[in-house]
Amino acid sequence: SQQGEEDPQALSIQEGENATMNCSYKTSINNLQWYRQNSGRGLVHLILIRSNEREKHSGRLRVTLDTSKKSSSLLITASRAADTASYFCATDVYGQNFVFGPGTRLSVLP
Amino acid sequence: DAGVIQSPRHEVTEMGQEVTLRCKPISGHNSLFWYRQTMMRGLELLIYFNNNVPIDDSGMPEDRFSAKMPNASFSTLKIQPSEPRDSAVYFCASSLAGGTSYEQYFGPGTRLTVT
């Protein structure tokens, strides 16, 4: 099974609403990253959060990390149609390579 | 900055043929990664280089796959012979340094179809 798994697999919301995606992982991590992938494109880095951090913000994005629960969440506030994409969390296994989860497909409807 | 450059963007080949995918990382980046993305298996790390040296190739599926990085500005991923199950999107990514404290910059990918 995956080191990191996003939940839900798919999410459909109306423009202006908030979108929350979760990532659960199994082993201890040093860092966790969130990426976005638009259809047919490469992944784009959104936020990196370290194991000693609990929350980070970047524009309309807010990421939280709960190492006791081995979970992270990505919140996109005031969503826009342009936020439609797949979102991936990437966790490092024992500080080695990043392992990407299967992703959450977000659809923001106008 | 041009970002990570991959070529070709699309490749269609017949089973048994050799396929070579190319990547130019961002200048100044010391780490390079090759990934494969499919619907069934998601995004898988195939191999990564640090300072042109292969560090971890445990994700390379089998001996048909090989990767090289002859210098800091160029890497290739070769599949020989190719098989239909190799059909996927192959991404190259680079980062400033090794480890997991740095973001990875992904190229646009090469969509490979093996018939």
Side-chain angles (χ1 to χ4, degrees):
Chain A
S1 59
Q2 302 273 2
Q3 154 68 349
E5 294 201 23
E6 296 88 348
D7 169 63
Q9 291 186 351
L11 180 61
S12 187
I13 60 173
Q14 295 293 130
E15 206 165 23
E17 294 180 338
N18 295 342
T20 300
M21 288 156 272
N22 302 297
C23 171
S24 59
Y25 56 92
K26 293 177 168 50
T27 64
S28 297
I29 61 169
N30 292 338
N31 301 291
L32 183 147
Q33 299 190 24
W34 283 92
Y35 287 79
R36 183 190 74 228
Q37 184 180 32
N38 291 87
S39 181
R41 303 287 187 92
L43 279 71
V44 174
H45 179 264
L46 296 176
I47 287 183
L48 180 152
I49 188 166
R50 306 187 192 283
S51 59
N52 62 353
E53 297 175 313
R54 292 296 166 259
E55 187 170 312
K56 287 190 82 168
H57 296 254
S58 177
R60 294 183 296 112
L61 307 180
R62 171 175 163 249
V63 167
T64 61
L65 179 64
D66 187 335
T67 53
S68 66
K69 296 181 179 179
K70 292 187 170 58
S71 68
S72 174
S73 67
L74 169 66
L75 169 67
I76 304 174
T77 60
S79 63
R80 307 166 181 168
D83 295 328
T84 294
S86 291
Y87 292 82
F88 297 87
C89 72
T91 50
D92 62 353
V93 182
Y94 306 119
Q96 299 299 315
N97 304 322
F98 274 110
V99 177
F100 286 81
T104 291
R105 293 190 311 279
L106 174 66
S107 297
V108 181
L109 307 175
Chain B
D1 196 333
V4 175
I5 299 172
Q6 292 187 246
S7 65
R9 294 293 309 277
H10 302 273
E11 178 80 39
V12 180
T13 190
E14 292 184 347
M15 182 174 63
Q17 296 298 306
E18 176 181 302
V19 175
T20 299
L21 311 181
R22 297 172 177 79
C23 175
K24 177 178 168 57
I26 293 172
S27 177
H29 282 191
N30 293 327
S31 293
L32 182 140
F33 308 81
W34 282 102
Y35 291 91
R36 177 174 68 176
Q37 187 177 39
T38 61
M39 288 294 293
M40 290 297 293
R41 300 176 67 88
L43 194 66
E44 303 172 281
L45 176 66
L46 300 177
I47 185 171
Y48 92 91
F49 296 85
N50 201 38
N51 294 319
N52 311 338
V53 176
I55 302 300
D56 184 358
D57 65 353
S58 59
M60 296 286 262
E62 48 199 272
D63 292 345
R64 298 185 298 106
F65 286 68
S66 62
K68 294 182 180 179
M69 192 165 186
N71 57 62
S73 59
F74 184 66
S75 177
T76 59
L77 178 68
K78 183 180 293 185
I79 308 172
Q80 182 186 20
S82 58
E83 297 182 2
R85 59 188 166 130
D86 302 329
S87 296
V89 181
Y90 291 81
F91 289 103
C92 175
S94 69
S95 66
L96 271 174
T100 60
S101 297
Y102 299 92
E103 64 182 273
Q104 295 183 19
Y105 293 79
F106 280 74
T110 295
R111 182 174 295 276
L112 173 65
T113 303
V114 183
T115 60

